Amino acid sequence: MDATSRIERALAAAVARAEGLGGPPKLAEAMHYSVFPRGARIRPRLCLAVARACGDDEPAITDAAAASIELMHCGSLVHDDLPCFDDADIRRGKPAVHKAFGEQIAVLAGDALIVMAFQVLAWATVSRPERLSHLMLTLGRAVGAPSGIIAGQAWECEPVIDLAEYQQEKTGALFAAATVMGAAAAGMEAEPWRLLGERLGEAYQVADDIRDVASSREDLGKPIGQDAALGRPSAVAQLGMQGALARLKDLAAGAVAAIPDCPGAAELRAHILSESQRLVPPKLAAAAA
Amino acid sequence: MDATSRIERALAAAVARAEGLGGPPKLAEAMHYSVFPRGARIRPRLCLAVARACGDDEPAITDAAAASIELMHCGSLVHDDLPCFDDADIRRGKPAVHKAFGEQIAVLAGDALIVMAFQVLAWATVSRPERLSHLMLTLGRAVGAPSGIIAGQAWECEPVIDLAEYQQEKTGALFAAATVMGAAAAGMEAEPWRLLGERLGEAYQVADDIRDVASSREDLGKPIGQDAALGRPSAVAQLGMQGALARLKDLAAGAVAAIPDCPGAAELRAHILSESQRLVPPKLAAAAA
C-alpha cells in the first residue's frame, strides 16, 4: 500500500472513533472536516518515509505515528484560525472550522484532535507497549510547553520574538517529531533522526514564507500576503526573495546530509529532494532545486 | 506524605517543566495560574484514595495519574471560561485566565495543559511501560470524543441534550477516570472501579447544581445562580432542592456500595463519605448525609 493510502486510512480510522457511539454530532463532523479532504500531509509522509528507511517492522505503529502527527497539526490549524488569532476565513480552500461550525465547536474540535493524537498512539501499541513511551514523549515535546508548537504560537503574544526560536517551535518541532517518531515506530534508536527533521522544518518554514508572497490564492487554498498584512516574521522580508530561495536550497542539502545510516537511506534521500521541490510554486522550483 | 502534599508536589513538578528552558513566559505563567493556588482537587484525591486502597505499589505513577487528571480538569476550565462559552470573569476567586492573560494565551494554556496531562503519565512510567497504555487510554476516553468532557461540552452546541448523558460526559467521565486510573496506577485490574467513579461523578454534578443555588459567591469562588441565568440543565431545576438533596444522598450510598473488594476498602469507604459531605454548603450537609 502506498504512503498516501496508509495515512488516509489511519486518519479515517481514528476520526471514525469520534464519530461513532452516540457522541455529539457537530463535534464529530467538525473533526472530520478539519482532517479531510487531505492537505499535503507533508509531516506524516515524512514520518512514514523515515520508518520505511528504518525497516518499518510494525506498520500499524508507523501508521499511528504518522496519523498522530497529522491530527496534532490539524488541531493546531483549527485553533490558529480562531478569531482571537488569525481570524482566518479560509483554510485548505474551504471555510475555516470556526466559520463553518462556530467558535465553540472550533475550540472543542481542536482540543479533541489533540487528545486523539495521543489516543492513536496508545491504540496502536497495545501489543508493543515498550514503544509507546518514546512516541508519546516525542509528540508531547513537539507540541506542548516550553518548546512545541503551542509554545511557538505563544511567542506571538510576547513583546520580543527570536525569529529562529519562534520558527523552530512553530514549525520545526513537528517536523522533528515526524522523523524521530518514524524511527521510534520502527524500533530504531530515534534521537539521531532529530536533526533531519529540524532542518526540514526550517526549510518548510522558508518555503511557506515564499509561498505566502509568490503563490496565487487558488494554489495556496488560503489568502496570500498574510505575513506582511499581519506583520509576522518572514524569511522573505528578512532575506529578500532570492535570499530566501538560496536559503531553502541550503537547508534541503543540509537535511539530506543529516540522514543517519540506515537500510533505506538512498530512497529516503530521493524522497526528501522530491518533496523539497514540491514546497515552492512551480515557477520558482528551478531556483530552489 | 499526605494526599494533598503528594498532589501539589506532582502538579508543581509538572508545571515547572513548562516554566523552565526558555519557553514563552506568559504561557508558562498562565499554566501555573490555571493550576495554582489549588482548588478542591477532588478528582486527584479520589484517584489517590483508590490507588492506596489498591496497595499503591508505585507511588510516582499514582501521583502522575492524579496530576494528569487535575491538569486535564484545569485545562478544561480555562477553555470553558472563554468568551465563546461561559465568558466567565471569575474562577476560584480570581480573574479567569482569559481575563488575566488575554484570550490567545487562554486558548494556548488550555491546549498545553491537555498535552501536559498525557506527558506526566509518560514521564512517570518510563520504568514501568506496561502501565502507560491503560492509563492513557482511560484518560483519553474520559476527555475526548465521543464520550469525554470535551464531548460533554460539545453537547451544549446541539439543539437537543440528554441531561443524563450530558452530565455523565461533562463530569462523570473524569471521576470515572480518577477511580480507574487510581487502580491502574497500582497495577490492579482497573475496570471494576469504573462504576464507583461514575456514581461519584453524578453525585458531584448534583452537588454542583445545589451549590450553584445555595452557596454564597464567596464560598464558591465564582458567581452563583449561573445555571438558571444561562438556562443550563440542573438537578435543582429538575427535582427541586429537597429532591436534589435526596438524590445526592442516594448516589453517595450507591458509590460506597460500588467499591470493589480490595485491601483498603474500609478506609476508602470513610474517605468517600467524608468527601460527599464536603460537597454541599454546611447548612445543607445534614440533609445530604
Side-chain angles (χ1 to χ4, degrees):
Chain A
M1 192 180 286
D2 68 11
T4 299
S5 304
R6 287 178 62 175
I7 293 164
E8 299 309 305
R9 188 187 55 176
L11 288 168
V15 172
R17 294 212 189 207
E19 292 172 318
L21 298 165
K26 282 181 198 162
L27 175 64
E29 199 187 335
M31 291 172 74
H32 191 279
Y33 183 95
S34 307
V35 178
F36 301 102
R38 70 192 186 87
R41 309 288 199 221
I42 293 173
R43 297 159 191 79
R45 285 155 51 84
L46 176 60
C47 178
L48 222 67
V50 169
R52 280 180 161 167
C54 293
D56 192 22
D57 69 332
E58 290 277 1
I61 299 180
T62 297
D63 294 352
S68 75
I69 291 164
E70 185 67 9
L71 291 166
M72 208 55 101
H73 175 59
C74 293
S76 79
L77 295 180
V78 174
H79 281 185
D80 285 358
D81 285 344
L82 284 170
C84 70
F85 291 111
D86 293 357
D87 197 14
D89 292 339
I90 300 290
R91 169 71 69 181
R92 290 179 176 168
K94 62 184 187 180
V97 175
H98 71 98
K99 287 288 178 186
F101 294 88
E103 198 175 340
Q104 296 186 328
I105 288 289
V107 171
L108 296 172
D111 290 352
L113 288 168
I114 294 172
V115 171
M116 180 167 278
F118 286 105
Q119 287 178 299
V120 297
L121 296 177
W123 291 327
T125 52
V126 167
S127 63
R128 297 298 294 260
E130 74 283 4
R131 293 201 187 172
L132 175 58
S133 175
H134 196 167
L135 289 168
M136 269 190 69
L137 290 172
T138 303
L139 186 64
R141 170 178 168 180
V143 175
S147 60
I149 56 175
I150 294 167
Q153 183 72 14
W155 276 114
E156 294 189 10
C157 304
E158 297 290 339
V160 179
I161 302 180
D162 176 320
L163 181 63
E165 183 161 12
Y166 164 77
Q167 291 184 334
Q168 163 52 28
E169 291 172 3
K170 188 86 202 292
T171 307
L174 217 43
F175 277 84
T179 55
V180 174
M181 290 173 72
M188 299 285 277
E189 194 195 344
E191 284 304 319
W193 289 87
R194 182 171 295 278
L195 182 60
L196 167 63
E198 287 175 351
R199 287 184 176 166
L200 287 174
E202 208 178 333
Y204 180 81
Q205 183 63 54
V206 172
D208 198 51
D209 293 348
I210 292 170
R211 285 201 307 276
D212 186 63
V213 175
S215 293
S216 69
R217 182 188 168 103
E218 290 67 34
D219 287 344
L220 208 54
K222 62 182 182 182
I224 59 171
Q226 289 294 293
D227 291 340
L230 297 170
R232 281 195 295 229
S234 153
V236 178
Q238 201 175 40
L239 305 170
M241 179 58 81
Q242 287 311 311
L245 286 165
R247 178 95 181 108
L248 176 58
K249 193 173 172 177
D250 286 351
L251 286 165
V256 166
I259 296 174
D261 271 343
C262 61
E267 201 181 332
L268 180 61
R269 204 172 294 126
H271 170 86
I272 285 170
L273 288 174
S274 133
E275 292 275 301
S276 302
Q277 295 200 346
R278 285 175 41 166
L279 288 179
V280 293
K283 61 186 173 188
L284 297 174
Chain B
M1 192 181 287
D2 69 11
T4 299
S5 305
R6 287 177 63 175
I7 292 164
E8 299 310 305
R9 189 185 56 174
L11 288 168
V15 172
R17 295 213 189 205
E19 292 172 319
L21 297 166
K26 282 181 198 163
L27 175 65
E29 199 187 333
M31 291 172 73
H32 190 279
Y33 182 95
S34 307
V35 177
F36 301 102
R38 70 191 185 88
R41 308 289 199 221
I42 294 173
R43 296 160 192 78
R45 286 155 50 85
L46 175 61
C47 179
L48 222 68
V50 169
R52 281 180 160 167
C54 293
D56 192 20
D57 69 333
E58 290 277 0
I61 299 180
T62 297
D63 293 351
S68 75
I69 291 164
E70 185 67 9
L71 291 167
M72 208 54 101
H73 175 59
C74 292
S76 78
L77 295 181
V78 174
H79 281 185
D80 285 358
D81 285 344
L82 284 170
C84 70
F85 291 111
D86 292 357
D87 198 12
D89 292 339
I90 300 288
R91 168 72 67 181
R92 289 180 177 167
K94 62 184 185 178
V97 175
H98 71 98
K99 287 287 178 186
F101 294 88
E103 197 175 340
Q104 296 187 328
I105 289 290
V107 171
L108 296 171
D111 290 353
L113 289 168
I114 294 171
V115 172
M116 180 167 278
F118 286 104
Q119 287 178 298
V120 296
L121 295 177
W123 290 328
T125 51
V126 167
S127 63
R128 297 299 293 262
E130 74 283 3
R131 294 201 187 171
L132 176 57
S133 176
H134 196 167
L135 289 168
M136 269 191 70
L137 290 172
T138 303
L139 186 64
R141 171 178 167 181
V143 175
S147 58
I149 55 175
I150 294 167
Q153 183 72 12
W155 277 114
E156 295 190 9
C157 304
E158 297 290 340
V160 179
I161 301 180
D162 176 319
L163 180 62
E165 183 160 13
Y166 165 76
Q167 291 184 335
Q168 163 52 27
E169 292 172 3
K170 189 84 202 294
T171 307
L174 218 44
F175 277 83
T179 54
V180 174
M181 290 173 72
M188 299 286 276
E189 194 195 346
E191 284 305 319
W193 288 87
R194 183 170 296 279
L195 181 61
L196 168 63
E198 286 176 351
R199 287 184 177 166
L200 287 173
E202 207 178 333
Y204 180 80
Q205 183 62 55
V206 171
D208 198 50
D209 294 347
I210 292 169
R211 284 201 307 276
D212 186 63
V213 174
S215 293
S216 69
R217 184 189 167 102
E218 289 66 34
D219 288 344
L220 208 54
K222 62 182 182 180
I224 59 170
Q226 290 295 292
D227 291 340
L230 297 170
R232 280 194 297 229
S234 154
V236 178
Q238 201 177 39
L239 305 170
M241 179 58 80
Q242 288 311 313
L245 285 165
R247 178 97 182 105
L248 176 59
K249 192 172 172 178
D250 285 351
L251 285 165
V256 165
I259 297 174
D261 272 343
C262 62
E267 202 180 333
L268 180 59
R269 204 171 295 126
H271 171 85
I272 285 170
L273 288 173
S274 133
E275 291 277 299
S276 302
Q277 296 200 345
R278 285 175 41 165
L279 289 178
V280 293
K283 62 186 172 187
L284 297 174

